[in-house]
mmCIF file of all heavy atoms in Angstrom:
data_model
loop_
_atom_site.group_PDB
_atom_site.id
_atom_site.type_symbol
_atom_site.label_atom_id
_atom_site.label_comp_id
_atom_site.label_asym_id
_atom_site.label_seq_id
_atom_site.Cartn_x
_atom_site.Cartn_y
_atom_site.Cartn_z
ATOM 1 N N ASN A 9 -11.132 -87.416 -48.151
ATOM 2 C CA ASN A 9 -12.376 -86.975 -49.002
ATOM 3 C C ASN A 9 -12.294 -85.548 -49.284
ATOM 4 O O ASN A 9 -12.641 -84.765 -48.489
ATOM 5 C CB ASN A 9 -13.616 -87.456 -48.183
ATOM 6 C CG ASN A 9 -14.925 -86.985 -49.047
ATOM 7 O OD1 ASN A 9 -14.772 -86.706 -50.133
ATOM 8 N ND2 ASN A 9 -16.032 -87.250 -48.380
ATOM 9 N N LYS A 11 -14.237 -83.844 -51.270
ATOM 10 C CA LYS A 11 -15.526 -83.401 -51.673
ATOM 11 C C LYS A 11 -15.509 -82.393 -52.859
ATOM 12 O O LYS A 11 -14.612 -82.644 -53.633
ATOM 13 C CB LYS A 11 -16.068 -82.527 -50.323
ATOM 14 C CG LYS A 11 -16.060 -83.575 -49.169
ATOM 15 C CD LYS A 11 -16.786 -83.087 -48.081
ATOM 16 C CE LYS A 11 -16.693 -84.111 -46.786
ATOM 17 N NZ LYS A 11 -17.334 -83.752 -45.678
ATOM 18 N N HIS A 98 -21.950 -91.685 -48.602
ATOM 19 C CA HIS A 98 -21.624 -90.605 -47.705
ATOM 20 C C HIS A 98 -22.961 -89.931 -47.294
ATOM 21 O O HIS A 98 -23.829 -89.780 -48.051
ATOM 22 C CB HIS A 98 -20.686 -89.761 -48.449
ATOM 23 C CG HIS A 98 -20.066 -88.620 -47.559
ATOM 24 N ND1 HIS A 98 -20.693 -87.624 -47.071
ATOM 25 C CD2 HIS A 98 -18.889 -88.756 -46.830
ATOM 26 C CE1 HIS A 98 -19.907 -86.982 -46.213
ATOM 27 N NE2 HIS A 98 -18.830 -87.523 -46.207
ATOM 28 N N GLU A 100 -23.712 -86.975 -47.040
ATOM 29 C CA GLU A 100 -23.889 -85.838 -47.995
ATOM 30 C C GLU A 100 -24.804 -86.322 -49.220
ATOM 31 O O GLU A 100 -25.588 -85.581 -49.697
ATOM 32 C CB GLU A 100 -22.736 -84.999 -48.286
ATOM 33 C CG GLU A 100 -22.196 -84.225 -47.077
ATOM 34 C CD GLU A 100 -20.782 -83.951 -47.049
ATOM 35 O OE1 GLU A 100 -20.053 -84.040 -48.077
ATOM 36 O OE2 GLU A 100 -20.214 -83.629 -45.978
ATOM 37 N N GLU A 170 -19.284 -92.508 -39.732
ATOM 38 C CA GLU A 170 -19.343 -91.041 -39.729
ATOM 39 C C GLU A 170 -20.494 -90.627 -39.071
ATOM 40 O O GLU A 170 -21.521 -90.349 -39.767
ATOM 41 C CB GLU A 170 -19.189 -90.478 -41.145
ATOM 42 C CG GLU A 170 -17.950 -91.097 -41.831
ATOM 43 C CD GLU A 170 -17.421 -90.025 -42.878
ATOM 44 O OE1 GLU A 170 -18.405 -89.776 -43.850
ATOM 45 O OE2 GLU A 170 -16.361 -89.547 -42.844
ATOM 46 N N ALA A 174 -20.927 -85.001 -36.423
ATOM 47 C CA ALA A 174 -19.530 -84.792 -36.201
ATOM 48 C C ALA A 174 -18.978 -84.330 -37.593
ATOM 49 O O ALA A 174 -17.707 -83.858 -37.587
ATOM 50 C CB ALA A 174 -18.766 -86.020 -35.765
ATOM 51 N N ILE A 175 -19.646 -84.415 -38.799
ATOM 52 C CA ILE A 175 -19.033 -84.228 -40.005
ATOM 53 C C ILE A 175 -18.987 -82.508 -40.306
ATOM 54 O O ILE A 175 -19.925 -81.906 -40.371
ATOM 55 C CB ILE A 175 -19.826 -84.780 -41.168
ATOM 56 C CG1 ILE A 175 -19.614 -86.320 -40.937
ATOM 57 C CG2 ILE A 175 -19.231 -84.328 -42.455
ATOM 58 C CD1 ILE A 175 -20.524 -87.108 -42.156
ATOM 59 N N GLY A 176 -17.730 -82.081 -40.425
ATOM 60 C CA GLY A 176 -17.558 -80.761 -40.700
ATOM 61 C C GLY A 176 -18.038 -79.755 -39.634
ATOM 62 O O GLY A 176 -18.035 -78.628 -39.870
ATOM 63 N N THR A 177 -18.179 -80.257 -38.409
ATOM 64 C CA THR A 177 -18.750 -79.439 -37.300
ATOM 65 C C THR A 177 -17.578 -79.093 -36.353
ATOM 66 O O THR A 177 -17.899 -78.262 -35.434
ATOM 67 C CB THR A 177 -19.859 -80.197 -36.565
ATOM 68 O OG1 THR A 177 -19.327 -81.410 -36.013
ATOM 69 C CG2 THR A 177 -21.022 -80.507 -37.457
ATOM 70 N N GLY A 214 -14.911 -91.262 -39.217
ATOM 71 C CA GLY A 214 -14.823 -90.044 -39.920
ATOM 72 C C GLY A 214 -15.794 -88.998 -39.288
ATOM 73 O O GLY A 214 -16.795 -89.345 -38.647
ATOM 74 N N GLY A 215 -15.286 -87.725 -39.204
ATOM 75 C CA GLY A 215 -16.119 -86.650 -38.590
ATOM 76 C C GLY A 215 -15.179 -85.796 -37.758
ATOM 77 O O GLY A 215 -14.808 -86.179 -36.662
ATOM 78 N N SER A 216 -14.768 -84.672 -38.401
ATOM 79 C CA SER A 216 -13.818 -83.675 -37.736
ATOM 80 C C SER A 216 -12.649 -84.363 -37.110
ATOM 81 O O SER A 216 -12.156 -83.929 -35.993
ATOM 82 C CB SER A 216 -14.695 -83.006 -36.503
ATOM 83 O OG SER A 216 -15.766 -82.174 -37.231
ATOM 84 N N CYS A 217 -12.110 -85.249 -37.816
ATOM 85 C CA CYS A 217 -10.821 -85.938 -37.376
ATOM 86 C C CYS A 217 -9.781 -84.939 -37.805
ATOM 87 O O CYS A 217 -9.716 -84.373 -38.936
ATOM 88 C CB CYS A 217 -10.735 -87.153 -38.144
ATOM 89 S SG CYS A 217 -9.463 -88.252 -37.420
ATOM 90 N N LEU A 235 -11.639 -91.568 -42.263
ATOM 91 C CA LEU A 235 -12.028 -90.778 -43.525
ATOM 92 C C LEU A 235 -11.996 -89.358 -43.196
ATOM 93 O O LEU A 235 -12.833 -88.899 -42.255
ATOM 94 C CB LEU A 235 -13.471 -91.448 -43.854
ATOM 95 C CG LEU A 235 -14.067 -90.800 -45.178
ATOM 96 C CD1 LEU A 235 -13.106 -90.948 -46.262
ATOM 97 C CD2 LEU A 235 -15.323 -91.463 -45.530
ATOM 98 N N ILE A 236 -11.258 -88.639 -43.902
ATOM 99 C CA ILE A 236 -10.971 -87.342 -43.445
ATOM 100 C C ILE A 236 -11.429 -86.299 -44.488
ATOM 101 O O ILE A 236 -11.095 -86.489 -45.651
ATOM 102 C CB ILE A 236 -9.387 -87.117 -43.338
ATOM 103 C CG1 ILE A 236 -8.649 -88.254 -42.588
ATOM 104 C CG2 ILE A 236 -9.041 -85.823 -42.562
ATOM 105 C CD1 ILE A 236 -9.087 -88.667 -41.286
ATOM 106 N N GLY A 237 -12.240 -85.440 -44.067
ATOM 107 C CA GLY A 237 -12.823 -84.314 -44.948
ATOM 108 C C GLY A 237 -11.934 -83.111 -44.875
ATOM 109 O O GLY A 237 -10.861 -83.059 -45.523
ATOM 110 N N GLY A 238 -12.318 -82.182 -44.209
ATOM 111 C CA GLY A 238 -11.610 -80.871 -44.150
ATOM 112 C C GLY A 238 -10.054 -80.988 -43.882
ATOM 113 O O GLY A 238 -9.403 -80.198 -44.768
ATOM 114 N N ALA A 239 -9.558 -81.739 -43.116
ATOM 115 C CA ALA A 239 -8.173 -81.800 -42.798
ATOM 116 C C ALA A 239 -7.419 -82.507 -43.870
ATOM 117 O O ALA A 239 -6.188 -82.464 -43.899
ATOM 118 C CB ALA A 239 -7.927 -82.499 -41.442
HETATM 119 P P1 LIG B 1 -14.820 -83.770 -41.944
HETATM 120 O O1 LIG B 1 -15.641 -84.693 -42.983
HETATM 121 O O2 LIG B 1 -13.363 -84.477 -41.718
HETATM 122 O O3 LIG B 1 -14.591 -82.468 -42.658
HETATM 123 O O4 LIG B 1 -15.579 -83.735 -40.775
HETATM 124 C C1 LIG B 1 -15.450 -86.086 -43.019
HETATM 125 C C2 LIG B 1 -16.257 -86.622 -44.080
HETATM 126 O O5 LIG B 1 -17.276 -86.162 -44.509
HETATM 127 O O6 LIG B 1 -15.849 -87.802 -44.743
#
Side-chain angles (χ1 to χ4, degrees):
N9 176 8
K11 308 191 181 183
H98 191 281
E100 287 149 19
E170 301 205 304
I175 296 177
T177 57
S216 297
C217 194
L235 179 54
I236 320 298

